[in-house]
Coordinates of all heavy atoms in Angstrom, one line a residue:
H1 N 0.9 -1.2 0.0 CA 0.0 0.0 0.0 C 0.9 1.2 0.0 O 1.9 1.3 0.7 CB -0.9 0.0 1.2 CG -1.9 1.1 1.3 ND1 -1.6 2.4 1.6 CD2 -3.2 1.1 1.0 CE1 -2.6 3.1 1.6 NE2 -3.7 2.4 1.2
P2 N 0.5 2.3 -0.7 CA 1.4 3.5 -0.8 C 1.9 4.0 0.5 O 3.1 4.4 0.7 CB 0.6 4.5 -1.6 CG -0.4 3.6 -2.4 CD -0.7 2.4 -1.6
D3 N 1.0 4.1 1.5 CA 1.3 4.6 2.8 C 2.3 3.7 3.5 O 3.2 4.1 4.3 CB 0.1 4.9 3.6 CG -0.8 6.0 3.1 OD1 -0.3 6.9 2.4 OD2 -2.1 5.9 3.3
K4 N 2.1 2.4 3.3 CA 3.0 1.4 4.0 C 4.4 1.4 3.3 O 5.4 1.1 4.0 CB 2.4 0.1 4.0 CG 1.3 -0.1 5.0 CD 1.9 -0.1 6.4 CE 1.1 0.6 7.4 NZ 1.9 1.0 8.6
V5 N 4.4 1.6 2.0 CA 5.7 1.8 1.3 C 6.5 3.0 2.0 O 7.7 2.9 2.3 CB 5.6 2.0 -0.2 CG1 7.0 2.3 -0.8 CG2 4.9 0.8 -0.8
S6 N 5.8 4.1 2.2 CA 6.4 5.2 2.9 C 6.8 4.9 4.3 O 7.9 5.3 4.7 CB 5.4 6.4 2.9 OG 5.1 6.8 1.6
D7 N 6.0 4.2 5.0 CA 6.3 3.8 6.4 C 7.6 2.9 6.4 O 8.5 3.1 7.3 CB 5.2 3.0 7.1 CG 4.0 3.9 7.5 OD1 4.2 5.2 7.6 OD2 3.0 3.4 7.8
R8 N 7.6 2.0 5.5 CA 8.8 1.1 5.4 C 10.1 1.9 5.2 O 11.1 1.6 5.8 CB 8.5 0.0 4.3 CG 9.8 -0.8 3.9 CD 9.9 -2.0 4.6 NE 11.0 -2.8 4.1 CZ 10.9 -3.9 3.4 NH1 9.8 -4.4 3.0 NH2 12.0 -4.6 3.0
I9 N 10.0 2.8 4.2 CA 11.2 3.5 3.9 C 11.6 4.4 5.1 O 12.8 4.5 5.4 CB 11.0 4.4 2.6 CG1 10.8 3.5 1.4 CG2 12.1 5.4 2.4 CD1 10.3 4.1 0.2
S10 N 10.7 5.1 5.7 CA 11.0 5.9 6.9 C 11.6 5.1 8.0 O 12.6 5.5 8.7 CB 9.7 6.6 7.4 OG 9.3 7.6 6.5
D11 N 11.1 3.9 8.3 CA 11.7 3.0 9.3 C 13.0 2.5 8.9 O 13.9 2.2 9.8 CB 10.7 1.9 9.7 CG 9.7 2.4 10.8 OD1 10.0 3.4 11.5 OD2 8.6 1.8 10.8
M12 N 13.3 2.3 7.6 CA 14.6 1.9 7.2 C 15.6 3.0 7.5 O 16.7 2.7 7.9 CB 14.6 1.6 5.6 CG 15.9 1.3 5.0 SD 16.9 2.8 4.6 CE 15.9 3.5 3.3
V13 N 15.2 4.2 7.3 CA 16.1 5.3 7.7 C 16.4 5.3 9.2 O 17.6 5.5 9.6 CB 15.5 6.7 7.3 CG1 16.3 7.9 7.8 CG2 15.3 6.8 5.7
V14 N 15.4 5.1 10.0 CA 15.6 5.0 11.5 C 16.6 3.9 11.7 O 17.6 4.1 12.5 CB 14.3 4.7 12.2 CG1 14.6 4.5 13.7 CG2 13.3 5.9 12.1
D15 N 16.4 2.7 11.2 CA 17.3 1.6 11.4 C 18.7 1.9 10.9 O 19.7 1.4 11.6 CB 16.8 0.3 10.8 CG 15.6 -0.3 11.5 OD1 15.3 0.2 12.6 OD2 15.1 -1.3 11.0
T16 N 18.8 2.5 9.8 CA 20.2 2.8 9.3 C 21.0 3.7 10.2 O 22.2 3.4 10.5 CB 20.0 3.5 7.9 OG1 19.4 2.6 7.0 CG2 21.4 3.8 7.3
Y17 N 20.3 4.7 10.8 CA 21.0 5.6 11.8 C 21.3 4.8 13.0 O 22.4 4.9 13.6 CB 20.2 6.8 12.0 CG 20.5 7.9 11.0 CD1 19.8 8.0 9.8 CD2 21.5 8.8 11.2 CE1 20.1 8.9 8.8 CE2 21.8 9.8 10.2 CZ 21.1 9.9 9.1 OH 21.4 10.8 8.1
L18 N 20.3 4.1 13.6 CA 20.6 3.3 14.8 C 21.6 2.3 14.7 O 22.3 1.9 15.6 CB 19.3 2.7 15.3 CG 18.2 3.7 15.8 CD1 16.9 2.9 16.2 CD2 18.6 4.6 16.9
S19 N 21.8 1.7 13.5 CA 22.8 0.7 13.2 C 24.2 1.3 13.4 O 25.1 0.6 13.8 CB 22.7 0.1 11.8 OG 21.5 -0.6 11.7
N20 N 24.3 2.6 13.1 CA 25.6 3.3 13.2 C 25.8 3.9 14.5 O 27.0 4.1 15.0 CB 25.7 4.3 12.0 CG 26.0 3.7 10.7 OD1 27.1 3.4 10.3 ND2 24.9 3.4 10.0
D21 N 24.7 4.4 15.2 CA 24.8 5.0 16.5 C 23.5 4.8 17.2 O 22.5 5.3 16.7 CB 25.1 6.5 16.3 CG 25.2 7.2 17.7 OD1 24.9 6.5 18.7 OD2 25.4 8.4 17.7
P22 N 23.4 3.9 18.2 CA 22.1 3.6 18.9 C 21.5 4.8 19.5 O 20.3 4.7 19.9 CB 22.5 2.6 19.9 CG 24.0 2.7 20.1 CD 24.6 3.2 18.8
Y23 N 22.2 6.0 19.6 CA 21.6 7.1 20.2 C 21.3 8.2 19.2 O 21.1 9.4 19.5 CB 22.5 7.7 21.3 CG 22.7 6.7 22.4 CD1 23.9 5.9 22.4 CD2 21.8 6.4 23.3 CE1 24.1 5.0 23.4 CE2 21.9 5.5 24.3 CZ 23.1 4.7 24.3 OH 23.3 3.8 25.3
S24 N 21.2 7.8 17.9 CA 20.8 8.7 16.8 C 19.4 9.3 17.1 O 18.6 8.6 17.7 CB 20.9 8.0 15.5 OG 22.2 7.7 15.2
R25 N 19.2 10.5 16.5 CA 17.8 11.0 16.5 C 17.3 11.1 15.1 O 18.0 11.6 14.2 CB 17.8 12.4 17.2 CG 18.3 12.5 18.6 CD 17.3 11.9 19.6 NE 17.9 11.7 20.9 CZ 18.0 12.7 21.8 NH1 17.5 13.9 21.5 NH2 18.4 12.4 23.0
V26 N 16.1 10.6 14.9 CA 15.6 10.6 13.5 C 14.1 10.9 13.5 O 13.4 10.4 14.4 CB 15.8 9.2 12.8 CG1 15.3 9.2 11.4 CG2 17.2 8.7 12.9
A27 N 13.7 11.8 12.6 CA 12.3 12.0 12.3 C 12.2 12.2 10.8 O 12.5 13.2 10.2 CB 11.8 13.3 13.0
C28 N 11.8 11.1 10.2 CA 11.9 11.0 8.7 C 10.5 10.8 8.1 O 9.8 9.8 8.5 CB 12.8 9.9 8.3 SG 12.8 9.6 6.5
E29 N 10.1 11.7 7.3 CA 8.8 11.5 6.5 C 9.1 11.1 5.1 O 10.1 11.6 4.5 CB 8.0 12.8 6.6 CG 7.8 13.4 7.9 CD 7.1 12.6 8.9 OE1 6.3 11.7 8.5 OE2 7.2 12.8 10.1
T30 N 8.3 10.3 4.5 CA 8.5 9.9 3.1 C 7.3 10.1 2.3 O 6.2 9.7 2.8 CB 8.9 8.4 3.1 OG1 10.1 8.2 3.8 CG2 9.2 7.9 1.6
L31 N 7.4 10.6 1.1 CA 6.3 10.7 0.1 C 6.7 9.8 -1.0 O 7.8 9.7 -1.5 CB 6.2 12.1 -0.4 CG 5.2 12.4 -1.5 CD1 4.6 13.8 -1.3 CD2 5.8 12.3 -2.9
T32 N 5.7 9.0 -1.5 CA 5.8 8.1 -2.6 C 4.7 8.4 -3.6 O 3.5 8.5 -3.2 CB 5.8 6.6 -2.3 OG1 4.6 6.3 -1.5 CG2 7.0 6.2 -1.4
T33 N 5.1 8.6 -4.9 CA 4.1 8.8 -5.9 C 4.6 8.2 -7.2 O 5.6 7.5 -7.2 CB 3.7 10.3 -6.0 OG1 2.7 10.5 -7.0 CG2 4.9 11.1 -6.5
T34 N 4.0 8.5 -8.3 CA 4.4 7.9 -9.6 C 5.9 8.2 -9.9 O 6.3 9.4 -10.0 CB 3.5 8.5 -10.7 OG1 2.2 8.2 -10.5 CG2 3.9 7.8 -12.1
N35 N 6.7 7.1 -9.9 CA 8.1 7.2 -10.2 C 8.9 8.3 -9.4 O 9.8 8.9 -9.9 CB 8.4 7.3 -11.7 CG 8.2 6.0 -12.4 OD1 8.4 4.9 -11.8 ND2 7.8 6.0 -13.6
K36 N 8.5 8.5 -8.1 CA 9.1 9.5 -7.3 C 9.0 9.1 -5.8 O 8.0 8.7 -5.3 CB 8.5 10.9 -7.5 CG 9.0 12.0 -6.6 CD 10.3 12.6 -7.1 CE 10.0 13.5 -8.3 NZ 11.3 14.2 -8.7
V37 N 10.2 9.2 -5.1 CA 10.2 9.1 -3.7 C 11.0 10.3 -3.1 O 12.0 10.6 -3.6 CB 11.0 7.8 -3.3 CG1 11.1 7.7 -1.7 CG2 10.3 6.5 -3.8
V38 N 10.4 10.9 -2.1 CA 11.0 12.1 -1.4 C 11.1 11.8 0.1 O 10.1 11.5 0.7 CB 10.2 13.3 -1.7 CG1 10.9 14.5 -1.0 CG2 10.0 13.6 -3.2
L39 N 12.3 11.9 0.6 CA 12.6 11.8 2.0 C 12.8 13.3 2.6 O 13.5 14.1 2.0 CB 13.8 11.0 2.4 CG 14.0 9.7 1.7 CD1 15.3 9.0 2.2 CD2 12.8 8.8 2.0
A40 N 12.2 13.5 3.7 CA 12.4 14.8 4.4 C 12.3 14.6 5.9 O 11.6 13.7 6.4 CB 11.3 15.8 3.9
G41 N 13.0 15.5 6.6 CA 12.9 15.4 8.1 C 14.2 15.8 8.7 O 15.1 16.4 8.1
E42 N 14.4 15.5 10.0 CA 15.5 15.9 10.8 C 16.2 14.7 11.4 O 15.6 13.7 11.8 CB 15.0 16.8 12.0 CG 14.2 18.0 11.6 CD 12.8 17.7 11.2 OE1 12.1 17.0 11.9 OE2 12.4 18.2 10.1
V43 N 17.5 14.8 11.4 CA 18.4 13.7 12.0 C 19.5 14.3 12.8 O 19.9 15.5 12.6 CB 19.0 12.8 10.8 CG1 17.9 12.1 10.1 CG2 19.9 13.7 9.9
R44 N 20.0 13.5 13.7 CA 21.2 13.9 14.5 C 21.9 12.6 14.8 O 21.4 11.7 15.4 CB 20.8 14.6 15.8 CG 22.1 15.0 16.6 CD 21.8 16.3 17.4 NE 20.7 16.1 18.4 CZ 20.9 15.9 19.7 NH1 22.1 15.8 20.2 NH2 19.9 15.8 20.5
G45 N 23.1 12.4 14.2 CA 23.8 11.2 14.4 C 25.0 11.1 13.4 O 25.5 12.2 12.9
P46 N 25.4 9.9 13.0 CA 26.5 9.8 12.1 C 26.2 10.3 10.7 O 25.1 10.3 10.3 CB 26.8 8.3 12.1 CG 25.5 7.7 12.5 CD 24.8 8.6 13.4

């Protein structure tokens, strides 16, 4: 489902940062549409 594709990608970003630093801060929003994915948000970490 389009919203779940976005959720999956956003949580992948969380995991990617936590894998490198377990104290990373991540707030990632993802938009998915026809042949386009956009990530936006705030991070603090590696």
Side-chain angles (χ1 to χ4, degrees):
H1 185 282
D3 296 330
K4 282 288 143 201
V5 176
S6 294
D7 283 346
R8 165 94 177 252
I9 293 169
S10 291
D11 275 336
M12 175 277 293
V13 173
V14 173
D15 283 356
T16 300
Y17 274 89
L18 292 178
S19 294
N20 287 273
D21 178 358
Y23 300 101
S24 296
R25 302 287 171 82
V26 182
C28 175
E29 311 296 339
T30 302
L31 176 148
T32 55
T33 187
T34 302
N35 281 331
K36 176 82 76 174
V37 177
V38 180
L39 310 182
E42 302 78 47
V43 296
R44 182 150 59 102

